[in-house]
């Protein structure tokens, strides 16, 4: 009897160990939906238990980076950005997915990797192997409240300039009525305020580094962009803007408290969802604004992706979840659950944009979003030539720290803790130090 008990215990323990995966993900609405739909995954794979670690964007990046770099193995599946995937793949931190699809022909056939939008797939491929699959992909665009525009007698052009945005904000701003002219990211972080601000710098004619990796953050273009950004938010933004990232501004916009908002295209679906938005019938869409320097780099490219860390001991179970959560089947499930195709994860599959139901539900923004994603060129994002790729980031490993540091200086200028000149000097010094210590300067 004792032997049977021990054998049973061993089998149960082994089964549990083999079928439990821990997923680390950002607390964006799309990922929260994915977590809520875990029971649907369990209907298909009842032997796999899923545990979740859901964190704000900045905190998530720190935790996952430390974990995968050290090989600690805390996570079997991780949400990683377009910035991290090629860098982490080259470091040997991620499991290549192409061999896993080859080992699982039935999954590969139903999944159809070729349905992933070509540019998105290319961004996640290193040396011919796919290292992550997109949960959603995005560019950036302008959202505005049509009712507020009509009341103020304004018309939003398809492709506004930043100067026009400032004029519109001044006419809509009514803080006593609970409405702010414009909402923009102010929360420090390389993927938060630095992302939005870098697109602004691009269109003001600026760049992070010249071709010899000399920092350019003390240039007139950077000063003009930072002065514009700080003045715009101080005059016409909500109070406490340095606490507002994507999630906070989404809440403000969906509650009708922002006249305009420039941010990720993924928000179009959230703002069109009656379950989470009060402005479904009044939200308008336009391209991201351009500055006086160049139209290049006005809208970013980004994707949140699912990847399997090399340190996982649950590769098979992790692969099953990864392919389920980024499949055509999952997209249809979200549409059914949310009651509208407008809320499905965007920017990933060609089949989504050819789907009649999606076209009907997302007709107001789908072509604009797809156009922004397809025209976001990470190799030509600045007026003058640069030695790096990336639109809202510089694709080097050190940028995660540098971008966040510069984002903190930007927030300091916005909150009034430092002057714009002081913030620019601090940012220039940090960028120059990064280039020197990273061995980029000859």
């Amino acid at each position: 009897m004792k032997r049977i008990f021990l054998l049973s215990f061993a089998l149960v323990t082994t089964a549990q160990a083999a079928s439990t995966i821990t997923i680390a993900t950002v607390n964006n609405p799309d990922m929260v939906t994915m977590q809520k739909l875990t029971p649907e995954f369990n209907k298909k794979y009842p032997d796999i238990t899923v545990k979740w670690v859901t964190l704000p964007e900045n905190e998530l990046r720190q935790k996952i980076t430390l974990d995968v770099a050290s090989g600690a193995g805390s996570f079997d599946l991780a949400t990683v950005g377009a910035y991290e995937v090629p860098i982490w793949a080259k470091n040997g931190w991620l499991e290549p997915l192409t061999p896993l699809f080859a080992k699982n022909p039935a999954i590969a056939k139903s999944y159809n990797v070729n349905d992933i939008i070509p540019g998105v797939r290319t961004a996640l491929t290193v040396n011919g192997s796919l290292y992550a699959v997109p949960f959603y992909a995005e560019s950036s665009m302008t959202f505005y409240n049509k009712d507020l525009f009509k009341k103020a007698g304004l018309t939003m052009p398809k492709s506004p300039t930043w100067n026009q945005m400032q004029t519109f904000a001044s006419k809509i701003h009514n803080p006593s009525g609970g409405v702010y002219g414009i909402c923009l990211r102010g929360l420090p972080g390389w993927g938060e305020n630095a992302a939005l601000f870098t697109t602004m710098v691009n269109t003001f004619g600026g760049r992070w580094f010249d071709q010899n990796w000399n920092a350019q953050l003390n240039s007139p273009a950077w000063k003009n962009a930072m002065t514009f950004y700080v003045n715009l938010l101080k005059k016409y933004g909500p109070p406490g803007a340095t606490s507002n990232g994507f999630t906070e501004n989404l809440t403000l916009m969906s509650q009708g408290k922002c006249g305009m908002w420039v941010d990720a295209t993924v928000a179009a679906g959230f703002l069109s969802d009656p379950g989470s938005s009060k402005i479904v019938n009044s939200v308008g869409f336009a391209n991201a604004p351009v500055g006086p320097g160049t139209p290049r780099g006005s809208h970013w490219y980004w994707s949140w992706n699912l990847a399997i860390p090399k340190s996982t001991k649950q590769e098979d179970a992790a692969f099953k979840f990864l392919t389920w959560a980024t499949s055509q089947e999952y997209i249809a499930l979200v549409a059914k659950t949310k009651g509208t195709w407008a809320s499905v994860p965007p920017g990933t599959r060609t089949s989504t944009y050819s789907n009649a139901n999606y076209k009907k539900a997302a007709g107001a923004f789908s072509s604009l979003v797809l156009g922004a994603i397809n025209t976001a060129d990470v190799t030509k994002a600045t007026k003058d030539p640069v030695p790096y790729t990336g639109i809202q980031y510089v694709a080097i490993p050190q940028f995660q720290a540098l971008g966040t540091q510069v984002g903190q200086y930007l927030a300091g200028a916005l909150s009034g803790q430092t002057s714009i000149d002081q913030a620019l000097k601090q940012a220039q010094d940090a960028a120059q130090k990064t280039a020197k210590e990273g061995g980029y300067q000859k």
Side-chain angles (χ1 to χ4, degrees):
M1 177 68 81
K2 184 177 180 182
R3 183 181 174 188
I4 294 172
F5 172 76
L6 289 174
L7 181 60
S8 300
F9 179 77
L11 288 171
V12 170
T13 303
T14 303
Q16 287 177 338
S19 62
T20 299
I21 57 172
T22 300
I23 303 174
T25 191
V26 67
N27 65 345
N28 286 356
D30 270 328
M31 280 67 171
V32 173
T33 297
M34 175 172 62
Q35 184 175 353
K36 289 179 180 177
L37 290 174
T38 304
E40 297 297 324
F41 170 75
N42 288 136
K43 288 179 183 178
K44 188 170 184 177
Y45 298 107
D47 57 329
I48 301 174
T49 300
V50 180
K51 293 183 179 179
W52 290 91
V53 176
T54 307
L55 297 166
E57 189 169 324
N58 290 342
E59 191 178 342
L60 174 85
R61 285 197 169 105
Q62 292 170 358
K63 269 195 183 311
I64 294 180
T65 302
L66 181 62
D67 191 80
V68 299
S70 65
S74 303
F75 308 119
D76 303 296
L77 207 55
T79 305
V80 295
Y83 160 82
E84 288 97 347
V85 172
I87 296 171
W88 290 12
K90 289 172 184 175
N91 287 347
W93 295 351
L94 300 178
E95 198 69 48
L97 301 181
T98 301
L100 295 180
F101 278 108
K103 279 169 55 179
N104 296 273
I107 290 178
K109 184 178 180 181
S110 63
Y111 187 81
N112 189 8
V113 167
N114 291 330
D115 185 43
I116 298 173
I117 292 171
V120 177
R121 191 169 69 243
T122 299
L124 306 175
T125 301
V126 178
N127 296 328
S129 187
L130 196 63
Y131 276 84
V133 286
F135 186 72
Y136 71 74
E138 66 184 27
S139 185
S140 54
M141 65 191 294
T142 300
F143 308 98
Y144 65 101
N145 190 310
K146 292 188 291 187
D147 288 348
L148 294 175
F149 264 63
K150 184 177 180 180
K151 185 178 178 182
L154 303 172
T155 301
M156 172 69 77
K158 184 180 179 181
S159 297
T161 66
W162 276 112
N163 282 333
Q164 286 176 319
M165 296 288 284
Q166 185 179 48
T167 300
F168 297 154
S170 69
K171 296 183 183 301
I172 293 171
H173 192 58
N174 180 21
S176 62
V179 173
Y180 307 103
I182 190 166
C183 292
L184 298 173
R185 297 186 186 193
L187 183 69
W190 76 271
E192 285 283 3
N193 66 345
L196 181 280
F197 183 66
T198 297
T199 63
M200 187 180 286
V201 167
N202 292 341
T203 69
F204 272 70
R207 52 186 173 168
W208 280 79
F209 299 97
D210 68 14
Q211 286 192 291
N212 296 315
W213 287 98
N214 295 306
Q216 300 293 299
L217 285 70
N218 58 356
S219 66
W222 268 78
K223 183 168 184 177
N224 291 340
M226 190 175 290
T227 301
F228 184 90
Y229 168 87
V230 168
N231 289 342
L232 181 64
L233 273 180
K234 276 187 174 179
K235 287 181 180 178
Y236 309 120
T242 55
S243 298
N244 296 341
F246 170 83
T247 304
E248 293 77 15
N249 283 323
L250 172 62
T251 300
L252 287 169
M253 186 73 194
S254 64
Q255 297 298 307
K257 295 183 181 298
C258 300
M260 299 176 294
W261 178 36
V262 181
D263 214 296
T265 54
V266 69
F270 304 143
L271 294 173
S272 302
D273 181 0
S276 59
S277 173
K278 292 182 179 179
I279 62 166
V280 171
N281 296 320
S282 59
V283 61
F285 310 96
N287 289 320
V290 298
T294 177
R296 289 184 177 182
S298 63
H299 54 284
W300 67 57
Y301 169 75
W302 186 254
S303 59
W304 277 117
N305 316 279
L306 294 181
I308 303 175
K310 199 82 171 178
S311 53
T312 182
K313 293 181 175 60
Q314 309 291 344
E315 180 187 277
D316 181 62
F319 182 69
K320 286 175 179 174
F321 189 92
L322 170 147
T323 49
W324 172 80
T326 59
S327 64
Q328 293 182 56
E329 170 195 358
Y330 176 85
I331 290 172
L333 177 63
V334 173
K336 180 181 177 182
T337 303
K338 291 277 191 176
T340 172
W341 272 85
S343 298
V344 303
T348 61
R349 289 183 170 268
T350 302
S351 58
T352 300
Y353 289 86
S354 60
N355 184 295
N357 292 319
Y358 185 75
K359 285 181 176 180
K360 183 179 179 181
F365 60 81
S366 62
S367 60
L368 203 65
V369 171
L370 189 60
I373 292 172
N374 286 335
T375 57
D377 190 344
V378 298
T379 65
K380 295 177 182 176
T382 55
K383 180 182 178 182
D384 298 316
V386 293
Y388 57 86
T389 59
I391 300 174
Q392 77 278 25
Y393 57 80
V394 177
I396 57 174
Q398 297 85 351
F399 188 75
Q400 186 165 340
L402 173 62
T404 295
Q405 198 173 1
V406 172
Q408 290 166 344
Y409 300 143
L410 178 63
L414 178 58
S415 66
Q417 293 178 339
T418 60
S419 69
I420 289 171
D421 286 339
Q422 287 173 318
L424 288 167
K425 184 182 185 307
Q426 291 172 318
Q428 170 72 9
D429 291 346
Q432 192 72 356
K433 183 180 178 183
T434 295
K436 283 182 178 179
E437 293 183 351
Y440 295 98
Q441 294 180 353
K442 295 180 180 178

